[in-house]
Amino acid sequence: MTTTGKQLFTTLTSDGTLTLEIADSTFEDPTGNQVLVRMEAAPINPSDLAILTGAADFENAEYSPGKVVATMPEPFNSGQKARHGQRLPAGNEGAGTVVATGDSEMAKGLMGQRVACVPGQAYAEYALVDANMCLPLGDNSAEDGASSFVNPMTALGFVENARMDGQKAILHTVGASNLGLMLNRICLEDGMGLVSIVRKEEQVRMLKDEGATHVVNSSDGDFMDQLKAAIDETDAFYGFDPIGGGKMVDSCFKAMEQVAAKKMTEFSRYGSNQQKRMFIYGRLDMGPTTLTPSYGFGWTLSGWLLTPFLQQAGMETNLRMRKRVLDNLTTTFASSYKTKVDLEGMLTKDAILDYRQMKTGEKYLVVPNG
């Protein structure tokens, strides 16, 4: 017996036509270690927008109930050549109730439970998920658990990665985001130094009200002086940036190098040998990453993605991180949302133009069965 329900699909064709549509879909009965989850809540994360909207022109798109057709400009269309013609589901994570299971003991043990999960197709009334990718939520609501994987595990991953590399402080360039707030709480709990960059004075106050000690405002005229002072006090030569495009990474490297250079006891024409590292883990700005290398010779810019990190970290670390998330779901790892929409509501012009801006503190929550 199969189950029928609505699901969001995204299709990009070779001529740059991007189609988002809600359609009826058939969900097979779970087998083996699979479970069928009736989805109740799913966040729209920046990582979802890469496949959902990308750089397409939604200002001039064609809108109809449950469907929108937009144009993907170059070079972004050619850059996604591998997905041309494929009708793909979307939605990395969410939460709901297990309504059917395969025959494995793990799967059967989840029957009837509310779980957080990572199906990769959460914008749907139902989703087939491997039981290993489910986290029982106990008495927590689906809304509490909807964002319990991507942001919490990413924030924890930053701290774990820093420890692995022998660091005692982290720099984060979007400090007032849901993820940034989680990272601040984790660092306070773990004794890890943190420098948080924000864009507004109210965001400075918000973080400091939560116990943050090093918050710098990129809108202030003395931003670079603030940043250098914070790096000097914490030794935060190791940073994470979700912006990607623009000059923020460049500014961080420059500040790190200027702090390191002041501590040198001998002059070197090559600059300091202080190791400085930045990771880009998102593309909030789709433009080019601008670098003007004047950072000494010990700097590295890398990408960072959660899944490869978890594979590298190993099962013991994974389980420890997941337990910590569950134990602190409504405190350290709490998320907030600007508004809720159903599947059809995701595809209205007002909603798309709003949530694709990825404004700090204005995340959308999708309620597939709402």
Side-chain angles (χ1 to χ4, degrees):
M1 188 175 110
T2 57
T3 302
T4 301
K6 295 178 181 177
Q7 184 169 13
L8 183 146
F9 291 96
T10 169
T11 307
L12 178 65
T13 55
S14 59
D15 65 356
T17 300
L18 177 67
T19 303
L20 307 179
E21 60 181 332
I22 308 299
D24 287 336
S25 189
T26 299
F27 301 89
E28 299 295 329
D29 287 342
T31 60
N33 207 43
Q34 292 179 324
V35 296
L36 183 67
V37 180
R38 183 180 186 273
M39 299 303 300
E40 299 167 22
I44 301 178
N45 291 319
S47 56
D48 295 307
L49 295 181
I51 188 173
L52 197 62
T53 61
D57 179 9
F58 282 94
E59 187 70 51
N60 300 297
E62 298 177 13
Y63 292 86
S64 57
K67 185 176 182 179
V68 56
V69 180
T71 300
M72 185 73 72
E74 294 294 352
F76 302 100
N77 182 46
S78 296
Q80 299 185 61
K81 185 178 179 180
R83 65 169 284 198
H84 285 171
Q86 297 186 57
R87 189 169 181 254
L88 302 174
N92 284 326
E93 68 176 333
T97 301
V98 176
V99 295
T101 77
D103 56 9
S104 77
E105 290 302 314
M106 177 181 285
K108 289 191 291 185
L110 294 175
M111 183 62 193
Q113 293 197 50
R114 178 173 285 127
V115 299
C117 56
V118 192
Q121 49 182 4
Y123 303 145
E125 291 184 327
Y126 296 90
L128 272 175
V129 192
D130 189 292
N132 284 309
M133 299 303 291
C134 292
L135 181 68
L137 292 174
D139 295 331
N140 293 298
S141 69
E143 182 172 335
D144 288 338
S147 295
S148 63
F149 188 83
V150 174
N151 279 353
M153 295 292 275
T154 296
L156 282 172
F158 291 169
V159 176
E160 293 285 342
N161 219 148
R163 283 204 194 96
M164 291 175 185
D165 287 344
Q167 303 296 312
K168 63 179 183 180
I170 291 170
L171 185 152
H172 186 232
T173 63
V174 185
S177 63
N178 272 338
L179 190 152
L181 293 172
M182 291 179 191
L183 183 61
N184 179 58
R185 296 168 197 146
I186 295 166
C187 288
L188 288 171
E189 292 169 7
D190 291 9
M192 174 72 71
L194 177 65
V195 175
S196 297
I197 297 175
V198 299
R199 294 179 295 175
K200 300 176 181 178
E201 185 57 34
E202 55 264 38
Q203 294 171 344
V204 175
R205 292 194 297 270
M206 177 173 63
L207 274 163
K208 289 194 171 181
D209 286 346
E210 290 207 8
T213 54
H214 296 94
V215 187
V216 296
N217 186 348
S218 62
S219 298
D220 287 347
D222 63 344
F223 164 60
M224 284 299 287
D225 289 337
Q226 291 183 40
L227 183 57
K228 286 186 288 185
I231 293 171
D232 192 17
E233 291 176 27
T234 60
D235 284 338
F237 295 100
Y238 193 89
F240 295 87
D241 171 62
I243 301 169
K247 298 181 179 180
M248 181 55 73
V249 169
D250 183 64
S251 296
C252 293
F253 274 139
K254 284 180 177 176
M256 290 175 182
E257 173 60 15
Q258 289 173 33
V259 170
K262 280 186 64 176
K263 298 180 179 182
M264 293 172 60
T265 57
E266 295 182 6
F267 170 76
S268 169
R269 72 181 70 184
Y270 304 111
S272 80
N273 62 0
Q274 168 67 53
Q275 293 299 309
K276 300 163 287 289
R277 189 162 192 184
M278 290 291 295
F279 297 88
I280 292 177
Y281 69 97
R283 299 295 297 186
L284 298 180
D285 183 335
M286 300 294 288
T289 303
T290 302
L291 298 178
T292 55
S294 52
Y295 327 125
F297 54 86
W299 62 275
T300 305
L301 177 60
S302 312
W304 196 96
L305 194 62
L306 178 59
T307 302
F309 168 76
L310 293 176
Q311 292 170 344
Q312 172 195 355
M315 184 57 68
E316 182 179 340
T317 300
N318 275 247
L319 293 175
R320 173 168 50 80
M321 291 167 64
R322 289 174 66 164
K323 184 179 186 304
R324 184 172 178 180
V325 173
L326 183 59
D327 289 346
N328 300 278
L329 198 56
T330 59
T331 52
T332 303
F333 302 104
S335 290
S336 60
Y337 303 97
K338 174 181 180 178
T339 192
K340 300 176 186 178
V341 292
D342 59 15
L343 290 172
E344 286 79 6
M346 285 183 69
L347 301 189
T348 64
K349 184 174 184 178
D350 287 346
I352 291 179
L353 294 182
D354 191 20
Y355 64 65
R356 76 175 311 197
Q357 294 182 63
M358 299 176 280
K359 292 181 180 177
T360 300
E362 297 190 3
K363 183 176 289 191
Y364 273 54
L365 185 70
V366 181
V367 185
N369 281 281

